[in-house]
C-alpha cells in the first residue's frame, strides 16, 4: 500500500515560481508540462496539471499570485432579492405555509423560515372559538332542569359524570389557519 503525502496548498513562493517558469518558456502545447517538471526538480514533489492552470489563470485574471479571499459559501438563496420576494408573497397571501412559499420562490423550506425570521415575521395560528347564540341560553336551562331531575332520581349519578368545560374548539386539521404578521 502506497503512503501518499497529505495534500497541501501551494505557498506564495511556489505560486511565484510557477508563474515565472510559465512566462519563461516559449508558447507551446507542453508549456504546463515543462513547469510541472521544473517544479518537481526544484521542490521535490509533484504539482498537478490543473493546479498549474489555476495559478496561471488567476494570475492572468487578477494580475496577482495571491489567492483570492473567499468568505465562505455564497449566500445566494437568502439574498435581498429572494427575501423581498418572500415578504411580497406573504403580504399578498398570508395564509400560505412556509412549504408553499418555498415552492413559489424555489428554495428550501428552512431558507424561507430564515428569511421570514430575519424580516421579523412570526407565524400566528388562528383558532375558532365557541360562541354562544341566543338559543343556547334556553338549551342550557333545559339541560340543567333535566340533569337536576336525573340527580333526584339517582343520587350517585354525579359520581359517574365527567364534566369538561372546554371553551376552545378546533374544527380539525383542515380548518387550521396560519397567518404571518409582524
Amino acid at each position: 500500500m502506497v503512503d501518499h503525502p497529505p495534500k497541501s496548498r501551494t505557498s506564495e513562493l511556489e505560486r511565484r515560481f510557477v508563474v515565472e517558469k510559465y512566462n519563461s518558456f516559449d508558447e507551446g502545447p507542453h508549456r504546463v508540462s515543462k513547469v510541472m517538471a521544473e517544479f518537481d526538480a526544484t521542490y521535490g514533489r509533484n504539482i498537478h496539471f490543473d493546479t498549474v492552470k489555476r495559478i496561471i489563470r488567476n494570475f492572468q485574471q487578477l494580475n496577482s499570485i495571491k489567492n483570492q479571499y473567499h468568505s465562505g459559501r455564497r449566500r445566494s438563496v437568502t439574498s435581498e432579492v429572494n427575501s423581498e420576494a418572500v415578504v411580497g408573497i406573504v403580504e399578498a397571501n398570508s395564509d400560505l405555509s412556509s412549504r408553499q412559499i418555498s415552492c413559489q420562490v424555489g428554495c428550501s423550506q428552512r431558507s424561507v423560515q430564515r428569511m421570514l425570521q430575519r424580516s421579523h415575521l412570526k407565524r400566528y395560528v388562528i383558532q375558532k372559538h365557541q360562541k354562544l347564540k341566543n338559543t343556547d341560553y334556553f338549551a342550557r336551562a333545559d339541560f340543567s332542569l333535566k340533569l337536576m331531575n336525573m340527580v333526584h332520581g339517582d343520587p350517585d349519578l354525579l359520581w359517574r359524570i365527567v364534566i369538561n368545560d372546554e371553551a376552545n374548539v378546533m374544527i380539525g386539521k383542515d380548518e387550521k389557519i396560519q397567518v404571518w404578521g409582524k
Side-chain angles (χ1 to χ4, degrees):
M1 189 164 172
V2 178
D3 188 25
H4 296 287
K7 292 184 179 181
S8 63
R9 292 187 167 271
T10 55
S11 67
E12 189 172 331
L13 182 66
E14 293 169 338
R15 289 192 300 269
R16 178 170 297 162
F17 176 83
V18 167
V19 170
E20 288 173 356
K21 287 297 179 182
Y22 184 83
N23 290 331
S24 69
F25 293 125
D26 294 332
E27 300 237 359
H30 302 292
R31 198 171 178 186
V32 174
S33 300
K34 291 178 184 178
V35 171
M36 292 169 57
E38 287 287 327
F39 188 90
D40 185 27
T42 306
Y43 290 101
R45 65 183 179 93
N46 295 331
I47 187 169
H48 196 270
F49 181 84
D50 292 335
T51 305
V52 174
K53 294 294 277 182
R54 180 182 46 80
I55 291 170
I56 299 303
R57 186 185 65 236
N58 284 346
F59 179 74
Q60 290 170 347
Q61 289 176 353
L62 304 173
N63 202 18
S64 173
I65 59 169
K66 292 185 178 181
N67 281 336
Q68 189 177 6
Y69 174 74
H70 299 285
S71 62
R73 183 174 60 89
R74 287 180 48 213
R75 305 288 184 187
S76 60
V77 174
T78 57
S79 65
E80 286 296 321
V81 175
N82 284 347
S83 294
E84 290 172 5
V86 167
V87 171
I89 290 170
V90 167
E91 288 174 353
N93 188 359
S94 62
D95 293 338
L96 295 176
S97 66
S98 58
R99 180 180 294 165
Q100 293 167 332
I101 295 169
S102 68
C103 289
Q104 288 185 11
V105 175
C107 61
S108 70
Q109 184 177 358
R110 182 65 185 125
S111 294
V112 168
Q113 291 170 350
R114 279 194 299 268
M115 287 183 252
L116 290 168
Q117 186 178 15
R118 286 186 190 128
S119 300
H120 303 291
L121 292 169
K122 296 178 180 73
R123 186 181 132 211
Y124 294 100
V125 178
I126 297 176
Q127 298 178 356
K128 296 183 179 184
H129 293 279
Q130 181 180 358
K131 182 180 177 184
L132 292 176
K133 300 176 186 169
N134 290 337
T135 57
D136 289 340
Y137 295 108
F138 299 115
R140 284 184 173 204
D142 288 342
F143 175 74
S144 297
L145 288 173
K146 287 180 185 176
L147 188 61
M148 284 175 58
N149 290 334
M150 291 170 62
V151 168
H152 286 296
D154 184 9
D156 294 331
L157 177 68
L158 291 178
W159 293 106
R160 295 190 307 249
I161 295 177
V162 175
I163 297 175
N164 184 8
D165 186 20
E166 187 66 38
N168 297 338
V169 177
M170 290 293 292
I171 304 300
K173 289 186 177 182
D174 296 337
E175 295 290 330
K176 191 174 183 181
I177 300 170
Q178 296 179 3
V179 175
W180 296 91
K182 286 188 177 186

